[in-house]
Amino acid sequence: MTALEPHDGTDAARPAPSDDLPSGPPTRLPVGADGEGVLGRTYRALSIGIVSVVFLIAFEATAVGTAMPVAARELNGIPLYAFAFSAYFTTSLFAMVLSGQWADRRGPLQPLATGITAFGAGLLLSGAAGSMWVFIAGRAVQGLGGGLVIVALYVVIGRAYPERIRPAILAAFAASWVIPSVVGPLASGTVTEHLGWRWVFVGIPVLVVIPLALALPAIRRMASGPADPAAAAAPYDRRRIRLALGISAGAGLLQYAGQELNWLALLPAALGVALLVPAVRGLLPTGTVRAGRGLPSVVLLRGVAAGSFIAAESFVPLMLVTQRGLSPTLAGLSLAVGGATWALGSYVQSRPRMEPHRERLMVGGMVLVAASIAAAPSVLIDAVPVWIVAVAWAFGCFGMGMVIASTSVLLLKLSAPEDAGSNSAALQISDGLSNVLLLATGGAAFAALGGGAVGAAAHGAAVGAGASGSHPAAFAAVFLPMAGVAVAGAWVATRVRER
C-alpha cells in the first residue's frame, strides 16, 4: 500500500521550470477562498471528488493485493509474483512525465480522465488473463493509468488550493485509505474464496463511475485548461519524454533479468543499466543519488521509504497464505489496521506545532518502518503468532504516514515557485523507480532461493507450515534486505534540511 500524497538545493541544481508539471503558484484560486478549509463551500465538491479518486486507487490496491497470491498460483506465475507488482510501477514512470507535460499544455482534466479509463481497462485485462504474462500486461496498462492520475491530481492541488490548506488535503488523501484497508481485503477475500479471483479484477472498474462523476465537473470548473490561457502553448519536451521511456524500459529490463537468473540475462541487465543511468541523471535533481542536503535528500527519501515498504508489503499476503496456511481474507486483513495508522501518521505531521520537529518525525518514521519490516518474517517461525504481522505493520504504516506526507510538504516548501512542478514530478519518479528496482531485487532473491516452489500446492489450497511448498529462506531474503534499506532511509532523513 502506498498513499497518494502531494539538489544541493542551489538554483543551478534545480531542473528547468515546466519540465513535467505546471510550475508557479496556483493561478485559479477561487474568489472568497481565504479562510476556508478543504470542505468549505468553495472547495467542497472538488475535495470530495479528488479524494474519491484516491479512495478508488486505495480500494484497488488493498483488494488486488489480497487476491494476488491466488491469481499467481492459478496462472502458474509464482516465480513472476514480484513482476505482477513492479509492472504497474514501470509503466507509471513514463506516464508521470507524459501527464505533467500534457497537464501543462491542456490542464489536468484530460490526463486524469484518460488515466482513470486506462486504470479500469488494465483491471479488466488482468481479470480475463489466461496466462501470467497477460496478467502482467494488464498490470502494466493499469500503471499507465495510475501514472497519469497521480501527477494530474498534484496539478489540481497546485492550481486550486492555497498553500495553507495543502497539508490538509494531503492528509485527507491518506485518510481515504482507512476504509479500503479494512473493507478491501475482506471483500476481496470473500469474493476470491467464493467466486474466484477474476471477479475482484473485473468488479472494481464499476467503481470508476463514482470518481468520474464527482471529480471531473469540479476540476473542469476550478482547474481546467492551460496554466496561462493567454500564453502560446509550449511544444512537448521530447527529450524528457525519451528519458521517461528510457527509465521505464530500463527498469523493465532489469526486472526481467532478475527473474531469469541465468547468464543470458546479463545482456538485458546491462542494457537496462545503460538506459537507466542517463535517464535518472536527466529526470532527478542533481545530488539525489548521493543524498545531497535539502531537496535531493527529500526526493531520495521518498524513493527509499516507498520502495522498501512496498517491496516488503507485496510479499506479506503470499507469506501468510503459503507459509502459515491463512485464507486470502485473513492474510489481507492482517494489513488492514495499517490504513488507519497511516492516516494517523499523516495527521500527526500536519499539526502546526509539529512543523519545527519535521526532520525528527521523518527519522523516527523510518526507524518504525525498518522495525516493522524486520519483524514481519518472524512469523516464519511456527511458534510466533501470526497477529505479530498486523501489529508490526500498524507501526510501520504510522511511520510511513509521517514520512510520505512530510516529503510532499517539505518538497513544496523547499522548491522555488518556478521549480515546484518539475521537483514534484521528480518526487513521484523517485517513488516509482525505487518500487520497481527494489521489487526486482526482492523478486530475484525470492526466486533464487526457491520461492517459485511455493506454488506447488494444489490451486486454491493454502499451503500450511511445513508443507512441500514451504521456503522460509526465500521470504527472509526479501524482508531483511528491505529493512536494511529502510535503516539507510533514517540516515537520509537527517539530511532533508538545508544547512
Side-chain angles (χ1 to χ4, degrees), residues 68-95:
M68 194 74 79
V70 178
R73 191 164 54 198
E74 183 174 310
L75 294 173
N76 298 316
I78 292 292
L80 299 174
Y81 186 78
F83 218 160
F85 288 95
S86 63
Y88 179 100
F89 299 111
T90 299
T91 54
S92 70
L93 292 170
F94 168 71

Side-chain angles (χ1 to χ4, degrees), residues 182-283:
V182 177
V183 176
L186 180 61
S188 176
T190 301
V191 171
T192 298
E193 292 175 28
H194 293 89
L195 297 178
W197 64 267
R198 295 182 186 276
W199 287 99
V200 174
F201 289 83
V202 173
I204 290 176
V206 175
L207 301 178
V208 169
V209 176
I210 299 173
L212 281 175
L214 289 172
L216 299 188
I219 293 171
R220 182 181 294 109
R221 186 169 61 252
M222 299 176 67
S224 62
D228 185 358
Y236 282 86
D237 188 338
R238 295 186 179 183
R239 173 182 173 273
R240 291 187 70 81
I241 291 178
R242 287 196 299 270
L243 289 175
L245 281 171
I247 205 169
S248 291
L253 286 168
L254 283 178
Q255 174 71 54
Y256 176 78
Q259 295 294 145
E260 289 300 301
L261 297 177
N262 57 46
W263 288 107
L264 292 177
L266 291 177
L267 181 59
L271 181 57
V273 171
L275 289 171
L276 271 180
V277 171
V280 168
R281 293 181 63 183
L283 293 173

Side-chain angles (χ1 to χ4, degrees), residues 357-374:
H357 311 293
R358 188 170 297 279
E359 180 179 324
R360 279 181 285 177
L361 285 176
M362 298 169 83
V363 173
M366 288 308 304
V367 170
L368 288 175
V369 170
S372 69
I373 296 173

